[in-house]
Amino acid sequence: MGSRYDKASSSWSERIAEEIDQRRRTRSARRTEHKRAAKELEVQGNRFLEAGNYNKAIERFEAALKSFGSRDPLWLNITKAHIRLKNWSDAEVAATCALKYNPRRTEARYLRGVARKELGRYTAAIGDLEAVEYESAEFFDARKALEDAKRECPPSQYPATANDLWPSIKHEAIDETEPDSDTSDCLHIGDYEPCQRYNHKTCPFGTRCYHSHAPDERSWRDERGKNVCIHFLMGYCRFSDGRCKYTHVEDYLPTSGWWSRPDRVDYVWARFQVADRHDRSKPKTLIRQILHGPLPTWFWKDDDAESDSDRSESKSSWAPDLAPVTPPPTQHFILVLVLERVDDFLEDYSHLVSALKSEVKVIIASDSAAALSHIESPSCVGIFVGDVGITRHDNRALLAKFVSYVKKGGTGVVGATFGTFVSDKDAQAFFNDALGLTWKLGSYFRTTFFLNAPNDIVQLNPSLPTSYSMKALHLSGLKPGEAVYHQPDEDEAPVVSTTVGEGRLAYIGDVNGEVGATKTVLALLGLLDSPHPPLTPTPIATEPAQVDLHSFAKPKGASKPFIMILSQGWEESFEAHCSELFSLLKEKVEVLHGLSIDRVLDLLPSPGLTGIFVTSPHILEKENSPLVPALGAYIKSGGILVFGGLFSARVRYDKFTDFIRNLSGFSWSIAANTSSSLAPNGKHALSTKSATLPQNLHTKAIFISGITPDMALYLPVKGEQYYEPLDQASMAPIVYAKCGGGWLGIVGDVNWGKENAQIVLAMLGLKEH
């Protein structure tokens, strides 16, 4: 006999199935109506087109597109109208859209070629017109246009790129005839904030709900009408299912979507990382641009239609394992860091990537998140730094990991476009400050270089050519034996290698991506004739550093007061992001940065330490774990520790709760990130004592849950989303809690402002005036 649970589950499944079936019937009826309306608009547009009223024709065709989605006949007619009006740019765009929905629409490719010729984009026009002539020999108009384009094309024009000629005849057509839903829940946008109740279960308020039930740029609509988290579909949502405002259930999405196969998801996520740097506000828009851009031929094919070997072969045409943020592979691999100009690297250094792939698996990481997810893998046998992105301020955490990897026995090689774009400042930060080397930038010229016999790389790789010519940026300040290739009697070299800690770092200054340099890179990575000597990486310490916790309980004598800022590599960003606070602090006390674990541990017992302000989100990372017991002891012995600024803006939600619990014993977590109007909690001890606290705030802030009412320094005003009666307050964006003999505070505002500076001063016991 089945249990009540089984019956309830069966009933729920039947109810969902019935609901989905009803929605399908509704969509089918609506689709028929939209199709009828679109057909009527298309007929009207054709009449205007025949009568020579081209603007009216375009208006009708565009209305038909909105009614029933994009179709190639409509875009072709729009192209014709723009051609008659001599709107060449609009004609090119419309023709590309027609080809997107039907790559074999020869007339559209011909008209795009004509428009491009008129725009002076001769090489792109020639590419289109040659494709037309090849596909349809009887298309005589294309032949004359092609001859004209070739005659007018200047020799200096670059060849057409694959993007210029996209989509080719071999590309899959895109179907976009399904109109957006127009049900009441789909049209209900409220305050534009997604309704978590609606997406996870049901919302009892319906269209009276304050929040949005509609699809948006951060979600994908499923068959139930729920909005599925796009970041979850890409495998990288920082929230759990229960905390995300969108659902994490894929069961009711179409089975043929881009999310349906790991290689498609990898492709989308890799391109999303690059595009997201330019427009972080519209992820769904970015994904639609990716899906409607040049796609490899394997992308939309079914699993049964293509073998794994076919997919592997075709996939190599776009990017060799461009790394999404996924668990590191178990087989050995080389990690290639290309944080800027990834497309240029893939085009100019394809021979290098192919050579690497013939020896070992290759993973190309195009941003810090992807790199950090692979750099500590025991399967990583080498890292190739392909550009100067690792020297940027935003990538300091990655640079620290790279240095640690090399010092613990890893192999790092720097090359490709690094030598083309590196500046003296970048070189100093990378070679001198981070790695402790004496190398500096040297001369830049082409000549023939010769092997340096004493170098160990040369001795391990007898198949290296004894000499070859390249144009390269040299390094100077070398020690004897560090040059791999050089000119005898010169104190600089274009290819160098040395030991750093227990590992090895090498540099190749070739600036043109010459094929002759490929063997050298393989040798530097230990992939040519002989591998480097066996690595003996230093194990990562699992025990926290030994700290005298009792020292923080000693009475503090008189000393010059100071505030310690834990910015840990973000000091410049802190001073810009929290400039008001920084200025006010410097007016009252000395301000010292704790940029390393040793520095923080040295300053903690100081009698003049007035308080600590933590602005670095990296405090939560594993490498800073030795600080947690020390900071906890400092607070409980009477110290003040406040988090805010960049910490609140960039904190990792999934690491926050365990960190706070280990630090203080509190079970705090981050419940939301939203805008709200705030007022001081009149029953808080600091609120009654400090007259300088701002009385009215409007912030976008993270909300801390798991607190007691006496911990909330500010609360949402009545009527706000997270308002609760004072005696029931369980979350707040600004908290200040007694912890042992000291205080722990968090200012959750992610945008920061002068009012936040006043609050931090009050928390640290410093009056503003």
Side-chain angles (χ1 to χ4, degrees):
M1 179 179 292
S3 66
R4 284 185 298 171
Y5 175 82
D6 293 335
K7 293 179 180 178
S9 177
S10 176
S11 176
W12 180 83
S13 298
E14 291 174 0
R15 187 167 65 252
I16 291 294
E18 183 179 348
E19 178 184 341
I20 291 174
D21 187 57
Q22 177 59 44
R23 295 181 69 89
R24 284 174 178 164
R25 290 196 297 270
T26 302
R27 283 200 302 272
S28 178
R30 189 173 61 254
R31 179 185 176 92
T32 300
E33 175 58 26
H34 281 295
K35 187 175 182 179
R36 184 200 59 77
K39 187 63 178 177
E40 183 176 335
L41 289 166
E42 184 177 2
V43 170
Q44 294 175 11
N46 285 328
R47 289 172 181 166
F48 282 123
L49 187 63
E50 292 172 3
N53 194 338
Y54 304 121
N55 287 316
K56 284 286 187 181
I58 293 171
E59 180 185 308
R60 293 296 192 275
F61 292 137
E62 289 179 344
L65 290 173
K66 292 179 181 178
S67 176
F68 193 60
S70 290
R71 290 176 291 132
D72 60 289
L74 291 172
W75 282 113
L76 178 61
N77 285 339
I78 292 173
T79 304
K80 292 177 180 177
H82 281 306
I83 289 284
R84 305 277 172 78
L85 292 169
K86 297 186 178 181
N87 296 335
W88 307 117
S89 294
D90 292 334
E92 181 188 16
V93 171
T96 300
C97 289
L99 292 170
K100 182 166 60 176
Y101 301 109
N102 184 356
R104 302 190 70 87
R105 177 69 77 166
T106 305
E107 188 177 4
R109 197 174 301 278
Y110 161 70
L111 292 177
R112 187 172 73 168
V114 171
R116 286 173 164 180
K117 179 175 72 71
E118 296 296 334
L119 289 168
R121 299 186 59 218
Y122 297 110
T123 53
I126 291 169
D128 277 338
L129 295 170
E130 284 181 339
V132 171
E133 190 173 40
Y134 176 81
E135 182 71 9
S136 302
E138 70 280 2
F139 216 105
F140 299 108
D141 291 342
R143 190 171 304 167
K144 182 179 184 307
L146 176 60
E147 292 172 356
D148 292 344
K150 287 181 175 180
R151 184 172 57 254
E152 297 174 24
C153 181
S156 60
Q157 271 206 7
Y158 294 104
T161 65
N163 282 353
D164 288 332
L165 303 179
W166 178 85
S168 72
I169 294 170
K170 296 180 180 179
H171 275 89
E172 299 289 324
I174 295 175
D175 181 13
E176 203 179 62
T177 57
E178 177 69 24
D180 290 335
S181 174
D182 58 3
T183 56
S184 59
D185 55 355
C186 182
L187 299 177
H188 178 66
I189 58 175
D191 63 352
Y192 294 92
E193 286 291 325
C195 175
Q196 189 173 32
R197 287 181 175 180
Y198 173 79
N199 287 324
H200 284 260
K201 292 183 180 179
T202 57
C203 176
F205 303 107
T207 56
R208 294 182 291 108
C209 180
Y210 189 63
H211 302 305
S212 172
H213 296 179
D216 58 23
E217 68 275 5
R218 292 177 175 84
S219 64
W220 209 277
R221 198 77 159 179
D222 70 9
E223 291 183 333
R224 299 175 301 164
K226 307 300 183 183
N227 301 308
V228 185
C229 174
I230 276 187
H231 283 88
F232 164 73
L233 292 176
M234 291 189 293
Y236 190 59
C237 180
R238 61 178 179 172
F239 305 111
S240 65
D241 183 26
R243 291 171 55 203
C244 185
K245 294 180 181 179
Y246 306 101
T247 180
H248 284 189
V249 177
E250 298 180 71
D251 299 349
Y252 305 102
L253 287 168
T255 57
S256 59
W258 58 268
W259 50 81
S260 63
R261 210 169 65 192
D263 51 357
R264 292 175 185 164
V265 174
D266 289 354
Y267 180 92
V268 170
W269 175 238
R271 262 123 190 87
F272 177 82
Q273 292 178 74
V274 177
D276 191 38
R277 297 173 189 167
H278 304 292
D279 187 353
R280 295 181 179 274
S281 63
K282 297 180 179 179
K284 186 176 181 183
T285 302
L286 292 177
I287 289 178
R288 291 200 183 281
Q289 290 173 356
I290 292 166
L291 295 178
H292 287 183
L295 290 169
T297 55
W298 56 265
F299 192 87
W300 289 120
K301 288 186 178 180
D302 296 332
D303 290 331
D304 295 338
E306 183 179 25
S307 67
D308 290 339
S309 60
D310 291 339
R311 186 176 301 119
S312 174
E313 181 180 357
S314 59
K315 187 176 180 180
S316 65
S317 65
W318 61 270
D321 301 303
L322 197 59
V325 183
T326 54
T330 55
Q331 67 185 96
H332 288 167
F333 64 90
I334 292 291
L335 179 62
V336 179
L337 304 182
V338 189
L339 308 177
E340 299 175 357
R341 301 182 173 90
V342 63
D343 291 333
D344 291 343
F345 174 82
L346 294 173
E347 182 176 347
D348 297 340
Y349 292 87
S350 58
H351 55 85
L352 172 60
V353 174
S354 297
L356 290 173
K357 288 183 68 178
S358 68
E359 302 292 335
V360 69
K361 182 177 176 64
V362 176
I363 292 180
I364 297 181
S366 61
D367 75 352
S368 291
L372 288 169
S373 71
H374 292 85
I375 199 169
E376 290 186 337
S377 168
S379 301
C380 182
V381 295
I383 299 176
F384 182 77
V385 178
D387 64 17
V388 296
I390 197 171
T391 68
R392 306 306 185 209
H393 185 81
D394 289 348
N395 293 322
R396 285 195 174 188
L398 177 58
L399 175 58
K401 289 288 187 185
F402 172 78
V403 173
S404 175
Y405 168 83
V406 173
K407 288 183 176 180
K408 291 175 181 177
T411 298
V413 178
V414 182
T417 65
F418 186 96
T420 305
F421 297 103
V422 67
S423 65
D424 288 324
K425 182 180 178 181
D426 296 334
Q428 178 180 340
F430 185 73
F431 293 124
N432 309 150
D433 300 341
L435 289 157
L437 300 173
T438 57
W439 297 351
K440 300 181 184 299
L441 299 187
S443 305
Y444 173 60
F445 60 89
R446 174 181 286 279
T447 191
T448 300
F449 302 98
F450 302 89
L451 283 175
N452 179 26
N455 183 271
D456 56 350
I457 295 289
V458 176
Q459 295 173 7
L460 287 169
N461 295 275
S463 69
L464 279 173
T466 56
S467 65
Y468 72 96
S469 173
M470 66 175 167
K471 188 174 185 180
L473 176 68
H474 295 57
L475 291 182
S476 63
L478 307 180
K479 295 178 181 178
E482 289 184 340
V484 178
Y485 278 93
H486 69 157
Q487 285 190 304
D489 303 325
E490 292 290 339
D491 60 355
E492 58 181 15
V495 185
V496 298
S497 173
T498 192
T499 56
V500 177
E502 298 177 12
R504 181 186 306 277
L505 182 84
Y507 164 87
I508 177 167
D510 168 39
V511 298
N512 289 332
E514 298 183 29
V515 176
T518 298
K519 267 193 173 183
T520 305
V521 174
L522 292 176
L524 297 176
L525 287 168
L527 301 174
L528 189 58
D529 296 334
S530 301
H532 297 325
L535 304 180
T536 54
T538 302
I540 299 174
T542 56
E543 296 295 329
Q546 296 299 313
V547 181
D548 181 10
L549 302 183
H550 297 290
S551 65
F552 302 116
K554 296 176 182 178
K556 296 184 178 180
S559 179
K560 184 177 180 181
F562 70 92
I563 294 292
M564 178 161 55
I565 306 294
L566 298 191
S567 52
Q568 296 176 311
W570 296 71
E571 60 274 10
E572 295 178 9
S573 299
F574 159 70
E575 294 177 15
H577 190 72
C578 306
S579 56
E580 299 90 350
L581 173 62
F582 191 61
S583 298
L584 291 172
L585 286 175
K586 289 195 296 184
E587 291 175 5
K588 300 180 178 303
V589 292
E590 186 177 3
V591 178
L592 301 178
H593 286 281
L595 300 181
S596 68
I597 292 176
D598 291 340
R599 175 65 167 163
V600 175
L601 296 178
D602 285 343
L603 292 176
L604 272 176
S606 302
L609 180 58
T610 302
I612 301 173
F613 182 71
V614 181
T615 187
S616 172
H618 291 160
I619 190 70
L620 276 62
E621 301 301 327
K622 185 177 180 180
E623 61 264 27
N624 290 314
S625 59
L627 290 178
V628 177
L631 292 173
Y634 163 77
I635 301 170
K636 292 170 184 176
S637 66
I640 302 172
L641 181 67
V642 180
F643 295 87
L646 294 166
F647 177 89
S648 301
R650 303 187 179 219
V651 61
R652 284 283 301 272
Y653 292 17
D654 56 335
K655 295 185 177 183
F656 176 84
T657 301
D658 288 342
F659 172 80
I660 292 294
R661 184 181 293 112
N662 293 333
L663 177 73
S664 63
F666 296 145
S667 297
W668 293 354
S669 60
I670 298 176
N673 182 335
T674 189
S675 300
S676 186
S677 296
L678 309 175
N681 176 6
K683 296 185 180 181
H684 194 286
L686 182 60
S687 179
T688 59
K689 183 174 66 173
S690 176
T692 61
L693 285 176
Q695 296 303 300
N696 295 294
L697 296 175
H698 186 80
T699 67
K700 182 177 182 182
I702 57 173
F703 275 64
I704 309 301
S705 64
I707 65 172
T708 56
D710 60 306
M711 295 178 178
L713 181 58
Y714 279 79
L715 288 169
V717 299
K718 188 173 183 179
E720 290 287 333
Q721 177 182 358
Y722 288 101
Y723 171 79
E724 295 186 36
L726 184 60
D727 58 350
Q728 298 179 14
S730 60
M731 66 174 71
I734 302 177
V735 299
Y736 192 58
K738 189 70 175 175
C739 182
W743 292 86
L744 179 65
I746 296 180
V747 180
D749 192 340
V750 300
N751 294 323
W752 202 256
K754 184 176 181 181
E755 296 85 356
N756 297 297
Q758 296 169 347
I759 294 170
V760 172
L761 286 181
M763 289 181 172
L764 294 173
L766 303 171
K767 294 183 180 180
E768 185 180 356
H769 301 294

